[in-house]
Amino acid sequence: MREGPDIARIAALVADPVRSSMLLALMDGRALTATELASLSGVTKQTASGHLAKLVDGEVLAVEAQGRHRYFRLAGAHVAALIEALMVFSSDAASPVRTGPKEPALRKARVCYDHLAGEMGVALYDRAREAGWLTDDLGVTEVGWSRFSAIGVTPDSLPRSNRPPCRACLDWSQRRHHLAGLIGKATLDRLFALSWARRLPASRVVAFTPEGERRFREWIG
Amino acid sequence: MREGPDIARIAALVADPVRSSMLLALMDGRALTATELASLSGVTKQTASGHLAKLVDGEVLAVEAQGRHRYFRLAGAHVAALIEALMVFSSDAASPVRTGPKEPALRKARVCYDHLAGEMGVALYDRAREAGWLTDDLGVTEVGWSRFSAIGVTPDSLPRSNRPPCRACLDWSQRRHHLAGLIGKATLDRLFALSWARRLPASRVVAFTPEGERRFREWIG
DNA sequence: ACGATGGTTCGGCTATCATCGAACCATGAG
DNA sequence: CTCATGGTTCGATGATAGCCGAACCATCGT
């Protein structure tokens, strides 16, 4: 009869036990893959795929493709707020989810295509965002160029390409963004050139030297 | 698989279009009857009854019986918070609902069993709560007794009875509580005795005299 | 006591939707 | 190129739940 905001539509998306368990698993802001969410919720991947499609369609989840993986995360803080409002009704708290790769070395630093990933990569990206090296739409600021120049990454040194100079890439182990794009590649190249780190053979592990790690952390501040 | 808080259960209660429309109608804190909610949501009373039972069972709504009526209201502020969190997803705002009796005189003041209802009754109750005449569990404070004594309602004047001295009664037109119980009755009796108001014949209307209304408002502060 | 009204219960119909098997598409590794 | 893996689409099945007609119970007013 009366028409108000269509709160039933969103509520219905949360009302399914499988979907709600997915949302709870994503409450810490990480991004998980479809199969992870499937096994986590105890359904087959087809079923999970259907649920995830609904959630993305309803703009409750955001999705980011990464090679043959698709990482799903909450669409925003308002989604988390909604889940919290629902959790008020049941007093017991949620239990966290274990995740991530096994090898600590991979967790710490590795190559993602051609740029730095893992804890170190995420630290770089976080720092760059928070210290104003980058704008919200991932442009490089004055401050940013001066910082990147400090390790030899200058505008002139970047190859001419239609590839975006700076891109955020979703991190596999940290489930957060790290720095990708031309600058991401150039930065990783410089880490090798400066001998702050080297790539272990037959592996994606990026091994920092003690001195290299100290310098790196010093550089990002 | 994993067990967290059962947010799906509450979400499912909101997920139905009929139930969500009921909840939206109750967002202003008023209490509505089952039939009102039924016609408001465009379903028959049987259907509405089923929905309301579910909502009450899930502790999303609270119900208060009043003769042959049952007044439903949100179970608490946390329910309103939940609805708000859901409304964030759709930008357009809710539209209010019209309600209430037709006769303005009845709206203003009338007898509810043996005590005062309507705008004047609600005003008394609100004022008594906010000025500390009553405790949270509806006991009468020192201040309260001194105020009630001012119009001749004293502890000694109340009849010995197992009926609670002070009770909150849900108001029909205002959809808020007014003052009931022994004190409610005694107060109304004094209004008539003091000639601040009189009861219209063959009606529930309580007609205040201009002087009486002035004195009444002065009394409650 | 009786009718009118508010509200609930019951039973059957129907529609929606979650689920999974199977087949299919896309990407990455060797 | 070929295989393995992540993910989606399709179709059939089964369960859930909303809906209303009809009957029933309770309360109010006269």
Side-chain angles (χ1 to χ4, degrees), chain A residues 155-183:
Chain A
D156 294 340
S157 72
L158 296 182
R160 220 167 314 279
S161 160
N162 54 0
R163 184 178 170 189
C166 184
R167 216 169 59 81
C169 180
L170 193 61
D171 195 279
W172 163 64
S173 60
Q174 300 292 102
R175 306 311 164 89
R176 297 164 145 281
H177 285 112
H178 55 238
L179 188 63
L182 287 179
I183 287 198

Side-chain angles (χ1 to χ4, degrees), chain B residues 16 19 46-47 51 54 67 204:
Chain B
D16 182 84
R19 286 195 294 265
Q46 314 92 285
T47 304
H51 285 305
K54 281 190 171 70
R204 290 184 184 170

Side-chain angles (χ1 to χ4, degrees), chain A residues 8-127:
Chain A
R9 203 184 110 263
I10 300 295
L13 288 175
V14 188
D16 182 85
V18 172
R19 286 195 293 265
S20 74
S21 110
M22 290 172 166
L23 292 173
L24 286 173
L26 296 170
M27 269 300 280
D28 55 3
R30 288 172 316 173
L32 299 176
T33 65
T35 38
E36 273 175 321
L37 288 166
S39 81
L40 204 90
S41 309
V43 293
T44 61
K45 49 186 176 152
Q46 314 92 285
T47 304
S49 179
H51 286 305
L52 290 169
K54 280 190 172 69
L55 289 171
V56 170
D57 183 63
E59 294 182 327
V60 172
L61 291 187
V63 64
E64 203 159 339
Q66 190 93 128
R68 57 179 166 181
H69 296 270
R70 299 188 72 196
Y71 286 91
F72 295 88
R73 57 182 167 79
L74 300 188
H78 59 296
V79 179
L82 168 62
I83 306 299
E84 298 247 354
L86 281 165
M87 287 199 286
V88 169
F89 286 78
S90 40
S91 41
D92 47 346
S95 57
V97 185
R98 81 269 173 272
T99 175
K102 298 88 202 162
E103 305 85 345
L106 274 178
R107 279 191 80 97
K108 176 146 188 179
R110 67 180 174 280
V111 171
C112 175
Y113 296 106
D114 55 7
H115 51 266
L116 183 66
E119 286 173 20
M120 304 296 274
V122 170
L124 168 60
Y125 179 78
D126 281 352
R127 185 63 189 147

